[in-house]
Amino acid sequence: MLPPLGLVLAGGQGRRMGGRNKGWVEYQGRPLVEQVIERLRPQVDSIVISANTDIDRYQALGFPCLPDTRPDYPGPLAGIAATWAHAPGHTLLCVPVDAPHLAPNLAARLGQALGSCAAPAAIAHDGERLQPLFALLRPDLAARLETDLAHGPLAVGRWFRDIGATVVDFSDQPGAFVNLNTPEDLVG
């Protein structure tokens, strides 16, 4: 399988972070988005960022920044759909912007699982719960996603279950999936 296109999902409203754009929140002296990109870059062919605010600031990092094409922050699946509209035919490796400890072998392990089955996507499981924003998606999902989004907002985990995504065990590195969602999470 060719290296996928990396998609950093940074389009949320940051409600639990007091409305701050999580990508630009500093953790250990650097913005989260920079830390995620640093870990993602060796695993992918190129990177795009899905964001709805601070677009110029994200673009200054040297990557395309794509806003949702649907109004009212309909969720990460809208960011995935916007990416496929911009880059059709690409396999996508999706990661959230608030996970600075991203597994260095995320693409390899998800790719190995996807390559050995007919599932349309592979998603991570950290040993305790499903981590659907850490996903590798085949490009033939693009049309299905557009159709499903046309019926309204979708819950990410449920959508992946409905399409028959394969689940990949990452219980050997649960820290790679820690999301920094609140100001309290940044301490430590």
Side-chain angles (χ1 to χ4, degrees), residues 14-160:
R15 282 187 219 109
R16 289 180 284 176
M17 198 59 83
R20 293 167 56 199
N21 186 321
K22 282 200 278 186
W24 296 108
V25 169
E26 293 218 354
Y27 173 67
Q28 298 181 344
R30 292 178 50 221
L32 287 171
V33 67
E34 290 179 5
Q35 295 180 52
V36 169
I37 286 171
E38 183 177 281
R39 288 182 169 258
L40 181 62
R41 183 180 277 156
Q43 302 185 57
V44 297
D45 191 41
S46 57
I47 293 175
V48 297
I49 299 169
S50 169
N52 293 302
T53 59
D54 291 331
I55 291 171
D56 290 341
R57 196 172 177 194
Y58 280 120
Q59 286 177 328
L61 294 171
F63 305 101
C65 183
L66 308 171
D68 293 345
T69 57
R70 291 168 171 79
D72 302 323
Y73 296 91
L77 292 172
I80 293 169
T83 301
W84 268 324
H86 169 79
H90 282 82
T91 298
L92 300 181
L93 177 64
C94 305
V95 298
V97 74
D98 60 1
H101 305 294
L102 189 67
N105 61 350
L106 181 68
R109 286 175 67 176
L110 292 176
Q112 182 178 17
L114 200 57
S116 65
C117 71
I123 54 176
H125 193 288
D126 68 9
E128 290 188 23
R129 68 176 167 257
L130 201 59
Q131 296 289 342
L133 294 184
F134 298 84
L136 186 65
L137 298 90
R138 295 185 197 271
D140 53 356
L141 272 175
R144 163 92 187 252
L145 180 56
E146 283 294 336
T147 299
D148 291 349
L149 282 170
H151 293 99
L154 301 169
V156 178
R158 177 183 225 164
W159 187 75
F160 278 116

